[in-house]
Amino acid sequence: MKVLVAVKRVVDYNVKVRVKSDGTGVDVANVKMSMNPFDEIAIEEAVRLKEKGVVTEIIAVSCGPTQCQETLRTAMAIGADRGILVECNEEMQPLTVAKLLKAVADKEQPSLVIVGKQAIDDDCNQTGQTLAALADWPQATFASKVEVSGNVATITREVDGGSETLTLTLPAVVTTDLRLNEPRYVTLPNIMKAKKKPLEVLQTADLGVTVASNLKTVNVAEPAQRKAGIKVADVATLVEKLKNEAKVI
């Protein structure tokens, strides 16, 4: 069974991002970049399925600039067998990424596609769902447990009231939540092995997908600083401040 895992290169989650002075976006010059944490969980889950003997091949896919090869090498160090980079230097919206992933899936014919539920840079939480719609495949989002037997995947997912269990007929799309697993530490020997694993570079034109965004970023600004909280003596004072100062009641 073949599994496709999408990984995205984002600003490292430990970095405090800064807005560009002209308000056109986030400054990523000389900033540490890393794999999106939810995608790292997706790769780890695919590797665990392979260790169980369920999966035979793991393909990591990334869409973006040449530097995304580093992200793919990290995915291969975790356990992916090979990588595919769809090279593109333009900003891509989730719909475009989903179209590219569908084109790769049509080419590779995987039984399962695993993606992180969202990227920490835009928090869109759309790519997995859009891919499932374009491919007309069943989907399970926010997975906290994944079990595969034959051509059936049993997914436990988190919902507001607790959890629910879904049964999907493969091929299918699964998006990962934080509680699905804890990614393993990447060792130096595996990093060295990853350098020898195959990495294919494709262009968007090779997949027949036009990269054109229908959205335009007008302005990016940091959120306003919150005022310090205060203590009130009694409920009457609290109600008065909520009504006259905060104006929320």
Side-chain angles (χ1 to χ4, degrees):
M1 181 173 121
K2 189 184 294 186
V3 173
L4 199 70
V5 183
V7 296
K8 185 177 183 181
R9 180 177 181 263
V10 298
V11 176
D12 189 87
Y13 66 92
N14 286 313
V15 175
K16 179 176 174 57
V17 296
R18 296 170 299 176
V19 176
K20 292 180 180 178
S21 58
D22 58 2
T24 57
V26 173
D27 187 4
V28 295
N30 301 315
V31 171
K32 181 183 178 183
M33 308 292 283
S34 62
M35 186 190 301
N36 179 48
F38 291 102
D39 298 341
E40 197 171 357
I41 292 170
I43 282 285
E44 173 65 27
E45 190 62 26
V47 173
R48 293 188 184 191
L49 289 173
K50 186 177 181 181
E51 290 172 345
K52 292 177 182 178
V54 176
V55 172
T56 55
E57 185 181 24
I58 302 170
I59 307 166
V61 184
S62 188
C63 305
T66 304
Q67 294 88 333
C68 290
Q69 291 190 27
E70 300 172 7
T71 308
L72 288 170
R73 292 295 178 191
T74 301
M76 289 187 277
I78 295 174
D81 297 292
R82 57 189 174 96
I84 298 175
L85 170 61
V86 182
E87 200 168 41
C88 179
N89 293 314
E90 298 179 34
E91 183 180 356
M92 290 181 286
Q93 301 299 328
L95 176 58
T96 303
V97 176
K99 288 180 179 179
L100 292 171
L101 291 177
K102 181 185 181 299
V104 173
D106 290 341
K107 178 174 175 285
E108 296 292 340
Q109 294 295 306
S111 298
L112 183 65
V113 177
I114 308 178
V115 301
K117 73 171 184 177
Q118 65 194 73
I120 63 172
D121 54 357
D122 55 22
D123 278 335
C124 281
N125 182 21
Q126 295 173 1
T127 303
Q129 295 92 323
T130 307
L131 171 61
L134 292 174
D136 196 22
W137 288 358
Q139 62 175 299
T141 56
F142 315 129
S144 58
K145 186 177 181 180
V146 176
E147 295 177 324
V148 179
S149 178
N151 69 332
V152 175
T154 303
I155 312 296
T156 302
R157 64 185 299 269
E158 298 186 0
V159 295
D160 291 341
S163 63
E164 68 177 1
T165 301
L166 302 177
T167 301
L168 310 179
T169 301
L170 302 180
V173 178
V174 173
T175 73
T176 61
D177 207 347
L178 279 174
R179 279 161 286 280
L180 179 57
N181 61 53
E182 184 176 343
R184 67 194 66 192
Y185 178 76
V186 180
T187 62
L188 182 58
N190 286 336
I191 293 175
M192 300 306 293
K193 291 177 184 177
K195 293 181 179 181
K196 298 181 180 180
K197 292 182 178 181
L199 196 161
E200 182 181 6
V201 179
L202 301 174
Q203 302 300 320
T204 55
D206 299 334
L207 300 174
V209 177
T210 301
V211 180
S213 176
N214 293 322
L215 300 179
K216 179 181 178 181
T217 301
V218 177
N219 184 58
V220 177
E222 293 188 13
Q225 291 188 346
R226 296 179 61 183
K227 296 180 180 179
I230 61 171
K231 292 183 179 181
V232 295
D234 49 43
V235 175
T237 306
L238 172 62
V239 172
E240 187 273 331
K241 289 188 175 295
L242 289 175
K243 184 176 181 179
N244 299 320
E245 293 185 16
K247 299 186 184 301
V248 295
I249 58 174

